[in-house]
Amino acid sequence: MQLSKLLERLEYEVVQGSDQIEISTLINDSRKVENGSAFVCIKGAVVDGHEFVQQVAEKGASAVIVEDEVDAPKDMTVIRVPDTRYALALMSAAYFGYPADKLKVIGITGTKGKTTTTYMIKSILDAVGHKVGLIGTIEAIIGDKHVPAANTTPESYTIHKYFAEMVEAGCDCVVMEVSSQGLMLHRTAGIPFTIGIFTNLGKDHIGPNEHKDFDDYKRCKGLLFKQCEIGIANVDDKYFEDVFAGATCKTETFGFSEKADLRATDTHLVSRPGYLGVAYKVEGMMNFDVEIDIPGTFSVYNSLTAIAVCRHFGVPVDAIKKALKVAKVKGRIEMIKVSDDFTLMIDYAHNAMSLESLLTTLKEYNPKRLVCLFGCGGNRSKDRRFEMGEVSGRLADLTIITSDNPRFEEPQAIIDDIKTGIQKTDGKYVEICDRKEAIKYAIEHGQTGDVIVLAGKGHEDYQEIKGVKHPMDERVLIQEVLEELKAK
């Protein structure tokens, strides 16, 4: 492919060489460069691609795309752009033949609810004959292929590669999680979103390697609504107007508020042995009754979002109701049967906002005791630990503090930070550093009528310690614990 073709939607300057040369591959990882590659120099959190110009030249790269001055061999083409991340996004789209133009792209942004909502939308659309791709926190789904995810929103090159594979697999639409990081780092730049969705906003992802402050976090969320045709928003969220302040799309709303275009009324909890759910009436743009096998108010929001999206695809009401009844997501209020006496579930709640939402929801079902087991990730904001400790201490009857992904920190130091938060409350707690032992304690001491939540890990099947990901799936740990208790 000719380099100028890759650059056709960008402003750029030819510093040396020519933009008329043929390119074999588009690369942003110096290790993958081969003869004839165009290498895009990305400034990462740890490594700056500009430092590898000589190295990629020796490997045979024909061109480098830069935003800073570089010392390149005379026979190498050097293209300067204002922002190489933005350039990578638009060049990737061109490299794969603009596959997003052949799909209806649905993007979901918000602090929580993104993952569950993507699966709900996919479930409904699949049920009526659409072939739906998915890109999110847990995985990418391309036809029958499932690819584990490294980031909620992958690098732009990977997104367009997935889009191209989806088109090849016969997909007609794709639903994807769009993180604020993804928007900030231009991973989704240039994608023509058919529908953009705003779920909610809470104070998360603020820190040295994330957003500098809450205003920046909020601003980045709003970028999605400058590149979609229709914006669907949670009107009940207090930051809705801020996020949509610069929106250029047509806007629709959902929520409990009377001003919502699609609203939930007559909401009531459904509880049976081993079952927690919620039912409500949909009113406004559509009118029908719905019941979901996932508890809580946030399940109403997630399903309302899915309904609002599927309305634009003309999905019949019966198909929506049937699909919502069976929509499940690994690690999102995932019930694990361990006893006839109490309920145990796994959930990904890993920040104060999502944990408070989860525990508040479960308290509404009036369990005998609400038991919350969690830890916090290392090398992340300490505020998250204090806040989660305080939330659990305030809402749970018993907190079991344990380890999560300590990364390069000492697990006990993280536990001590969580205790700082929990000690601001009257909440009872125990600390058991080993996660399996903590789960064993929770199950062994479970009482009739308890609801026990294992929070923070969710779909993850590993524990990250000092740069190494060790296999650790809570479902496996639970089974091992049950076998050990049986053998006693």
Side-chain angles (χ1 to χ4, degrees), residues 29-285:
D29 182 340
S30 61
R31 295 166 296 185
K32 296 178 181 176
V33 166
E34 56 190 53
N35 208 41
S37 293
F39 176 67
V40 185
C41 300
I42 300 291
K43 292 181 180 179
V46 180
V47 177
D48 183 351
H50 291 79
E51 296 170 4
F52 296 93
V53 170
Q54 290 294 338
Q55 187 180 314
V56 299
E58 288 165 14
K59 287 186 169 185
S62 298
V64 287
I65 317 301
V66 303
E67 57 185 77
D68 295 343
E69 278 189 32
V70 293
D71 183 16
K74 294 285 181 260
D75 60 345
M76 174 182 264
T77 292
V78 179
I79 304 290
R80 184 182 288 166
V81 295
D83 187 316
T84 50
R85 283 193 178 276
Y86 183 81
L88 178 64
L90 271 61
M91 291 175 76
S92 296
Y95 183 73
F96 287 104
Y98 301 107
D101 294 349
K102 305 176 184 80
L103 297 161
K104 286 189 182 299
V105 185
I106 303 158
I108 304 180
T109 198
T111 303
K112 58 188 176 68
K114 298 188 295 295
T115 301
T116 302
T117 306
T118 56
Y119 281 88
M120 282 182 169
I121 292 169
K122 177 172 165 55
S123 178
I124 297 170
L125 293 178
D126 279 341
V128 294
H130 289 280
K131 194 158 185 183
V132 187
L134 182 146
I135 300 173
T137 301
I138 298 175
E139 62 189 345
I141 304 175
I142 304 160
D144 297 325
K145 185 168 81 169
H146 293 249
V147 184
N151 297 307
T152 296
T153 306
E155 188 53 83
S156 55
Y157 179 91
T158 304
I159 292 174
H160 290 283
K161 178 173 174 282
Y162 287 164
F163 284 171
E165 290 176 8
M166 287 172 188
V167 171
E168 184 70 25
C171 294
D172 61 326
C173 52
V174 54
V175 58
M176 65 181 290
E177 296 183 50
V178 181
S179 67
S180 53
Q181 283 280 88
L183 287 159
M184 179 176 74
L185 299 174
H186 300 308
R187 291 175 188 162
T188 54
I191 295 173
F193 288 97
T194 306
I195 296 173
I197 296 154
F198 168 64
T199 61
N200 48 61
L201 197 64
K203 293 185 178 179
D204 192 24
H205 300 294
I206 296 160
N209 296 325
E210 299 181 274
H211 295 280
K212 62 179 181 180
D213 54 32
F214 185 64
D215 283 340
D216 184 57
Y217 183 42
K218 194 163 53 176
R219 177 189 65 79
C220 288
K221 291 288 185 199
L223 295 174
L224 177 60
F225 306 101
K226 296 179 180 181
Q227 66 180 98
C228 65
E229 294 172 30
I230 301 162
I232 298 177
N234 176 1
V235 76
D236 298 340
D237 190 88
K238 65 181 177 180
Y239 299 111
F240 154 62
E241 290 184 356
D242 291 349
V243 170
F244 272 72
T248 56
C249 56
K250 179 189 170 194
T251 305
E252 295 175 5
T253 59
F254 64 89
F256 288 88
S257 166
E258 284 189 12
K259 61 186 176 186
D261 297 317
L262 193 73
R263 57 193 171 274
T265 63
D266 193 23
T267 303
H268 53 284
L269 306 179
V270 183
S271 179
R272 297 188 287 276
Y275 174 90
L276 301 177
V278 65
Y280 65 95
K281 285 182 179 172
V282 180
E283 292 185 354
M285 287 175 159

Side-chain angles (χ1 to χ4, degrees), residues 291-320:
E291 183 177 322
I292 309 152
D293 294 2
I294 310 170
T297 302
F298 51 80
S299 298
V300 176
Y301 278 117
N302 293 342
S303 54
L304 262 184
T305 312
I307 293 165
V309 169
C310 293
R311 191 182 73 83
H312 287 278
F313 287 81
V315 180
V317 167
D318 283 350
I320 291 176

